[in-house]
Amino acid sequence: MASQSALSARVARQPVAGQLVPSEPVSNDLPSLPESVATVEQRYDRAGLWVAIVVTFGWYLAGVAPVVVDSWLRYGLNASGAVTWLVFAVLGVVAAVVVLRGGGRGRGLPLVICPVLLAGSVLGALVSPDGVLGHFDWAFAMVGWFAVLALWRRQLLELIAFYAANVTAGGVILATLGEASRVNVGRFIALCCGISALQLTVFCGARMVTAMARRGAEAADELARTRSMNIAAEAVQAARRSRYETITGTVAHLLEGLAVGQLDLTDRFTRQEVAVAVTRLRRYLVESDEVPDQLWHELQVCADAAERQGIAVDLVAPAGLIPTLPVDVRRALTEPIIAALASTATKARITVVASPDEVVVAILADARLDAPPPSLHGAVESSHDAEGEMLWLQARWMSPSASPS
């Protein structure tokens, strides 16, 4: 090196790769959170709804359809209830589709379907060839299943009210047709209790299982939040301990030397050591700052600390976009700069050349430095050169995925 301009030219000639590489993965020690309470509740509610749909249409196709066909063949189309069977099937499909899509919470679906179901139940009892309690009066027993689908998102009292209306209508028809004997009334009561008990079991059982799943999900979510808070608190404590140990290693021996009177502040090396410690402390304070470019922010703090000592620092704007770097890499890049600034007499010039897979930080100063500090990171290399009173020092980081230059 022949002159200061030659040192500056060396910095400008540093190779900078331009290939874009993916950023380093960020580790996450927090436990994965369980499914949200709403998701669990929706999943269990949907499972219960599918149970009701399968039972309803399974019984309707396997149990009721043969009865309709048999009645049709025996008594003709008008007495078979085939039209009612088809209308019920359409209403059931509509109710199932609407509820599966998340609808049915308002009054619209029940007000459209439930009156038609009641009318079909009454009509089936009136046209049945063997009366209300006969084999061919399937509508009275089947209508409650379709009401379960239509009222799936509604209150239990509404379903009970529908059952009461259906039972009342059936009882009136039983009395009107003159079939209200003691035996028939007993059979009618047993039929009403039997069909409504099974339907209410599916309706209420699904809600009980959903409620239990919701409470379990809430407990799991609370446990996960507590674990996350504990892990976060432990991480904060670990970071504080690490920072304390780092700061202690930087200034403890200096404070001990001052305390026992062994530290000679007139010595040049002692002053440099103190200056390095001060600058490191300033850098430690800003390492966790939320800024777009942390390395540049830390270099500004280092330059500011040197300027407070009367050194004229020219911090040149970065050439290229500085990638996001871990704190240990940033420390390894700034440590040589701190050492050079601590030994600078009057002036220094700091430059940064960056690309996605390479960062070069260099300083040119009127400084005396016997040897640059050792590298703190395996991916960071440092080099230096001196000519008279001028010192050129460089720290270079290369991404492990970058090809060697």
Side-chain angles (χ1 to χ4, degrees):
M1 181 183 66
S3 63
Q4 178 176 343
S5 60
L7 288 173
S8 302
R10 182 178 301 181
V11 178
R13 287 197 302 268
Q14 290 300 319
V16 178
Q19 297 180 348
L20 183 62
V21 296
S23 58
E24 297 182 1
V26 179
S27 62
N28 184 10
D29 295 332
L30 294 180
S32 58
L33 292 177
E35 292 182 274
S36 66
V37 176
T39 301
V40 173
E41 185 176 10
Q42 181 180 8
R43 182 157 56 87
Y44 275 83
D45 176 77
R46 193 176 185 87
L49 176 59
W50 272 112
V51 170
I53 293 174
V54 170
V55 172
T56 299
F57 285 95
W59 188 1
Y60 202 58
L61 295 175
V64 177
V67 174
V68 174
V69 174
D70 185 23
S71 177
W72 191 344
L73 295 177
R74 289 188 183 186
Y75 305 103
L77 178 62
N78 294 331
S80 66
V83 176
T84 303
W85 187 93
L86 182 62
V87 172
F88 277 16
V90 173
L91 293 178
V93 171
V94 171
V97 171
V98 171
V99 178
L100 282 174
R101 292 184 176 182
R105 301 184 185 278
R107 297 180 179 178
L109 184 67
L111 289 178
V112 171
I113 292 182
C114 290
V116 180
L117 294 176
L118 286 175
S121 177
V122 172
L123 182 62
L126 293 175
V127 302
S128 175
D130 52 357
V132 177
L133 300 176
H135 175 67
F136 297 104
D137 186 17
W138 53 266
F140 177 79
M142 193 66 206
V143 71
W145 285 108
F146 293 106
V148 168
L149 300 182
L151 296 170
W152 188 263
R153 308 287 184 196
R154 303 293 296 175
Q155 298 294 325
L156 175 62
L157 291 177
E158 298 182 20
L159 182 61
I160 295 176
F162 177 86
Y163 288 156
N166 187 41
V167 170
T168 301
V172 170
I173 295 174
L174 186 70
T176 302
L177 296 179
E179 301 177 1
S181 65
R182 181 179 300 177
V183 175
N184 285 342
V185 170
R187 291 174 56 196
F188 180 77
I189 295 174
L191 176 65
C192 294
C193 293
I195 60 176
S196 61
L198 183 57
Q199 294 160 3
L200 287 173
T201 298
V202 173
F203 186 85
C204 298
R207 296 200 171 191
M208 291 177 60
V209 172
T210 301
M212 293 173 61
R214 182 179 63 251
R215 289 194 294 269
E218 290 174 348
D221 183 68
E222 184 65 25
L223 178 60
R225 291 179 183 274
T226 302
R227 291 179 58 195
S228 299
M229 293 175 61
N230 292 336
I231 292 176
E234 292 175 359
V236 170
Q237 291 297 328
R240 288 176 178 174
R241 287 194 299 267
S242 176
R243 184 175 300 178
Y244 173 79
E245 293 172 358
T246 302
I247 293 175
T248 301
T250 300
V251 301
H253 64 288
L254 297 176
L255 295 176
E256 291 175 358
L258 286 174
V260 300
Q262 295 179 353
L263 196 64
D264 184 9
L265 296 179
T266 62
D267 182 69
R268 179 175 65 89
F269 295 102
T270 300
R271 293 197 302 272
Q272 290 180 3
E273 193 174 4
V274 172
V276 169
V278 171
T279 307
R280 282 177 180 169
L281 290 176
R282 289 180 176 273
R283 183 191 61 188
Y284 293 151
L285 292 176
V286 301
E287 282 180 344
S288 59
D289 287 354
E290 297 291 338
V291 293
D293 194 336
Q294 292 177 310
L295 177 62
W296 180 248
H297 183 53
E298 292 168 9
L299 289 173
Q300 288 177 320
V301 172
C302 296
D304 180 69
E307 289 176 345
R308 292 175 182 270
Q309 303 298 324
I311 301 173
V313 181
D314 180 17
L315 183 58
V316 183
L321 183 62
I322 301 177
T324 302
L325 301 173
V327 63
D328 53 348
V329 173
R330 301 200 308 270
R331 287 181 181 177
L333 288 173
T334 55
E335 194 66 24
I337 306 302
I338 292 175
L341 288 175
S343 60
T344 299
T346 59
K347 58 183 177 180
R349 184 172 184 265
I350 303 174
T351 58
V352 180
V353 181
S355 72
D357 53 11
E358 184 179 1
V359 176
V360 178
V361 182
I363 183 172
L364 182 66
D366 54 346
R368 288 189 299 168
L369 193 64
D370 296 336
S375 177
L376 302 179
H377 195 277
V380 177
E381 300 177 353
S382 61
S383 57
H384 72 291
D385 200 354
E387 180 71 21
E389 296 182 352
M390 300 304 297
L391 171 70
W392 172 81
L393 192 148
Q394 171 186 282
R396 180 186 183 190
W397 168 83
M398 290 190 63
S399 171
S401 60
S403 58
S405 57

